[in-house]
Amino acid sequence: MATKTDFLAILQTMAGRDVDYIVVGGVAAVLQGAPVATFDLDLVHSREPENLNRLLAALDFLEARYRTPGAETARPTYSHLVSPGHQLLMTRWGPLDLLGTIGEAQGYSELLDRTVTLDAGQDLSVQVLDLSTLIQLKEQLAHDKDRAVLAILRRTLEEKGKGS
Amino acid sequence: MAEKTESSPPLPALSTAYSEDGVDLTLIRWMLSLTPAERLEVLQNTVASILRLRGDQN
């Protein structure tokens, strides 16, 4: 399936089909200056019916399939995407996680006012979860992998504060 | 033996490069000096190079 990871191409595909989403996770951290590496793109998508139909069209173009063991040939469906759960997918341009909600059941509409709009290149503007909220969410999760990156996110927020 | 007249500029103190909890601040400052688009490019290149090292990608 994926031969080249290209997060920008996935985001452009979403934008080209007017999909409403928020970039969260490691890519959101990187876009705001945190030197962390991540191998997947995490998006919280709007679960409004019209948006789900646009999202399904984008996923079809991306040749999205589940990457969970035993489900590698399954395609995401409307009923999967309308749920608050997490869909772990592989696309033609790398891993993509679609998250109905994150943290304490926060979805697209709850998170939208905690985003910043950033230019991701090639005339693409993306809504990105702000660094303070990313830190709060990782503090709530308290997984080992989240704790490891928390120190970097906190110092990045500090350094950004010094520069502004 | 001739005395060395030229001296190298002093290296910055390593203590300014790391935060108290061990985070490399030089990487953060470098990333913050880039635009969001450039940061995404750095990430994609990093992922690609790690995958190449692992033999996953050509």
Side-chain angles (χ1 to χ4, degrees), chain A residues 11 23 25-34 41 118-121 126-128 160, chain B residues 31-32 34-41 43:
Chain A
L11 295 173
V23 182
V27 174
V30 168
L31 283 168
Q32 292 171 88
L41 174 62
L118 296 176
D119 177 3
V126 288
Q127 293 297 119
V128 180
K160 277 173 78 84
Chain B
M31 284 289 276
L32 289 175
L34 306 176
T35 66
E38 289 168 336
R39 293 167 192 160
L40 185 60
E41 193 176 347
L43 173 63

Side-chain angles (χ1 to χ4, degrees), chain A residues 58-73:
Chain A
L59 294 176
D60 188 49
F61 176 78
L62 291 169
E63 300 170 6
R65 301 285 187 278
Y66 279 87
R67 64 174 197 271
T68 38
E72 291 91 342
T73 59

Side-chain angles (χ1 to χ4, degrees), chain B residues 31-52:
Chain B
M31 284 289 276
L32 289 175
S33 73
L34 306 176
T35 66
E38 289 168 336
R39 293 167 192 160
L40 185 60
E41 193 176 347
V42 166
L43 173 63
Q44 296 200 156
N45 289 339
T46 301
V47 171
S49 66
I50 291 170
L51 292 178
R52 273 198 301 274

Side-chain angles (χ1 to χ4, degrees), chain A residues 109-126:
Chain A
S109 54
E110 289 84 18
L111 295 169
L112 197 54
D113 64 353
R114 307 191 74 171
T115 63
V116 290
T117 305
L118 296 176
D119 177 3
Q122 300 181 20
D123 295 326
L124 177 67
S125 289
V126 288

Side-chain angles (χ1 to χ4, degrees), chain A residues 3-8 30-33 35 38 119-121 155-156 159-160, chain B residues 19 21 23 25 27-29 31-32 36-37 39-40 43-44 47 50-51 57:
Chain A
T3 56
K4 185 177 190 299
T5 300
D6 192 340
F7 299 134
L8 183 58
V30 168
L31 283 168
Q32 292 171 88
T38 184
D119 177 3
R155 298 292 85 79
T156 302
E159 291 294 317
K160 277 173 78 84
Chain B
S19 67
D21 46 4
V23 174
L25 298 175
L27 288 178
I28 291 175
R29 289 165 189 156
M31 284 289 276
L32 289 175
R39 293 167 192 160
L40 185 60
L43 173 63
Q44 296 200 156
V47 171
I50 291 170
L51 292 178
Q57 228 176 9

Side-chain angles (χ1 to χ4, degrees), chain A residues 111-152:
Chain A
L111 295 169
L112 197 54
D113 64 353
R114 307 191 74 171
T115 63
V116 290
T117 305
L118 296 176
D119 177 3
Q122 300 181 20
D123 295 326
L124 177 67
S125 289
V126 288
Q127 293 297 119
V128 180
L129 195 64
D130 67 47
L131 205 47
S132 300
T133 307
L134 272 176
I135 291 170
Q136 285 173 16
L137 287 169
K138 289 202 176 291
E139 285 170 340
Q140 287 170 13
L141 290 170
H143 294 151
D144 283 349
K145 75 180 181 76
D146 294 305
R147 275 196 290 267
V149 83
L150 255 175
I152 297 172

